[in-house]
Amino acid sequence: MAWKLASFDPFTRKIVDQTYMDPRRARDPRLSRPDPRLQRLQAESTPTPPPPNNSQLPLTQQGTENGFDDDVPLSEPSQQQSQPSAADIPGQSSFQPEYKARPLFCVVCASNQNRSMEGHFVLSKAGYQVISSGTGSAVRLPGPSIDKPNIYPFGTPYNSIFEELNGKDPRLYSANGLLQMLDRNRRIKLAPERWQESRAVADIVITCEERCFDAVCDDLLTRGGEFNKPVHVINLEIKDNHEEALIAGKAMLDLAAAIEAADDIDERMDEILQMGTWGAV
């Protein structure tokens, strides 16, 4: 037999339930069994603890609760994945090569018809940046006789000159190569240009005879240093015929390749001209 005593704790201000056991139970085996009524009352009065919340446990404890034996703390995944740099990727280097501008070539003869246009043609076909012009007062082409040349002002389209000569005497001008030359020229640009009237600033000027070289240098001196940049003027003595122009075109191609391959054109120009076989003077 057991009985209960309810007492008030003045410190906690709560009622404390105390259950006392009858001393006769220790001797009587029939009384040693607990009273089922008291067990039912205790079960009803004892609150059931809530189940543990796995989300509030540390990561190592959550792994144990889920059946994992790994005690190593789990790291939380990062929100953003870091992008690999160019230096971390095999085969890629962070070194950026220095930009090198390609030089502009200008080929100059007297009438901007034969020698300069042959150089313009071969250099342009090879992929170089090139222009061409003439230093004479007008465009002069061979006529039916030495004292009767065909004269045109600069700016007259090549196609117009071709049509006119073809209308005059196609047999004559085909025999001396003028129609073939003009047909090539009109496929390259519109019309012959005069050096003194052109405002283009080339890095390398290749003249085809000494009088053209002198005219270019005189004109450059009168222009002044507006752009504050050096201009290299190179003279190649070329006879004014189709065969010599064809040979000189190949020499200009070798010269342009050597100049463009140089790491410093201004410093190595003398060396390039001395080691070449293009007959520059």
Side-chain angles (χ1 to χ4, degrees), residues 65-83:
E65 291 291 334
N66 294 331
F68 299 102
D69 296 333
D70 192 3
D71 294 336
V72 179
L74 301 177
S75 60
E76 297 183 5
S78 59
Q79 297 295 331
Q80 296 181 353
Q81 297 291 336
S82 60
Q83 298 294 334

Side-chain angles (χ1 to χ4, degrees), residues 9 13 23 40 64 70 72 81-82 164-165 169 180 184 187 189 201 207 212 217 226-227 237 240 244 246 255:
D9 189 347
R13 302 182 65 85
R40 185 172 63 251
T64 304
D70 192 3
V72 179
Q81 297 291 336
S82 60
E164 181 177 333
L165 296 183
D169 194 341
Q180 294 86 333
R184 176 203 62 190
R187 299 176 187 272
K189 65 178 186 177
V201 180
T207 58
C212 297
C217 293
E226 180 180 356
F227 295 97
E237 282 295 329
D240 194 4
E244 293 293 331
L246 186 64
L255 176 60

